[in-house]
Amino acid sequence: MKVYTNIKTLKETKRILSEVGLGRLVIDGSIDKDIKVSSLLNELLDNNKLIEFLQAITRNDSVDFETMPLSEVKEIISSFFTDIVEFLPKSVVDMLKASMQTIASS
């Protein structure tokens, strides 16, 4: 599945990440220490922000991402961050790599 990484997509993903409390992640690589995992998961899963994020980076709202295997979801998200890595601060890149290694080992 094609993943888009132009300015329009970056603006949309930053908006979505900001709505779940992760907007600073793309700006300076930081995460608000007050963010609660339960709140984050609620926003991503129950409030469909993860689906919205996937739709934004693929520009595809006809795919049922909820039934897609997690390995495919991971591949799409990884592809997006891999493609934009040269534009992100090094701290974000390091954190994303560590997160992906954690997910892969789960």
Side-chain angles (χ1 to χ4, degrees), residues 12-74:
E12 183 68 9
T13 55
K14 182 185 176 296
R15 179 192 63 76
I16 295 166
L17 291 173
S18 293
E19 289 176 2
V20 300
L22 297 176
R24 292 179 55 197
L25 179 66
V26 179
I27 297 169
D28 63 9
S30 66
I31 295 177
D32 185 353
K33 290 177 179 36
D34 294 331
I35 196 164
K36 294 182 180 171
V37 174
S38 60
S39 298
L40 179 59
L41 288 175
N42 184 51
E43 286 296 320
L44 290 173
L45 299 175
D46 295 342
N47 293 337
N48 293 318
K49 292 300 178 182
L50 181 56
I51 301 298
E52 190 176 339
F53 183 83
L54 290 163
Q55 289 172 336
I57 64 177
T58 62
R59 291 193 192 157
N60 191 330
D61 58 0
S62 63
V63 171
D64 186 358
F65 289 106
E66 289 187 27
T67 60
M68 183 178 281
L70 290 177
S71 60
E72 291 180 35
V73 170
K74 177 186 166 198

Side-chain angles (χ1 to χ4, degrees), residues 3-5 10 53 57 73-88 92-97 100-101:
V3 173
Y4 294 84
T5 55
L10 291 175
F53 183 83
I57 64 177
V73 170
K74 177 186 166 198
E75 185 177 316
I76 292 168
I77 294 171
S78 295
S79 178
F80 173 75
F81 283 109
T82 299
D83 288 351
I84 67 166
V85 76
E86 67 185 86
F87 300 104
L88 297 175
V92 174
V93 173
D94 293 342
M95 185 172 57
L96 290 171
K97 285 181 182 177
M100 295 313 288
Q101 288 174 349

